[in-house]
Amino acid sequence: MKKILIAAVAVGTAASLVMLYLQKRRQGGNLLDDAKDAVDRSTRRMRKYMRQTKDKTDHIYSNAMG
């Protein structure tokens, strides 16, 4: 009976450690996904800003020359 209890505790501990490992692994993946999304957003903003700046400078240049 004592050996069965020890085995049950060992199995339960192993299962809980596996669950904790999987949760931490998933959180790491979520952090990487969040970082990727942040980089994508900043890239889009920078491209938008550069497009707007190019349009403004083209407009200023054409007004100055024309």
Side-chain angles (χ1 to χ4, degrees):
M1 185 74 170
K2 188 176 179 183
K3 290 182 181 181
I4 292 173
L5 285 174
I6 291 173
V9 168
V11 169
T13 302
S16 66
L17 289 174
V18 167
M19 291 298 293
L20 285 173
Y21 170 75
L22 291 175
Q23 286 177 348
K24 293 292 182 184
R25 185 173 169 201
R26 190 176 309 129
Q27 287 174 351
N30 289 342
L31 288 174
L32 290 176
D33 289 340
D34 291 345
K36 182 182 172 240
D37 291 340
V39 168
D40 289 341
R41 281 194 308 270
S42 64
T43 302
R44 274 188 261 124
R45 284 183 184 170
M46 184 56 81
R47 285 183 180 170
K48 180 181 175 184
Y49 174 75
M50 294 302 288
R51 253 191 330 269
Q52 289 175 346
T53 304
K54 181 185 174 298
D55 291 343
K56 287 179 184 177
T57 55
D58 287 346
H59 182 69
I60 291 170
Y61 180 76
S62 68
N63 283 343
M65 297 308 248

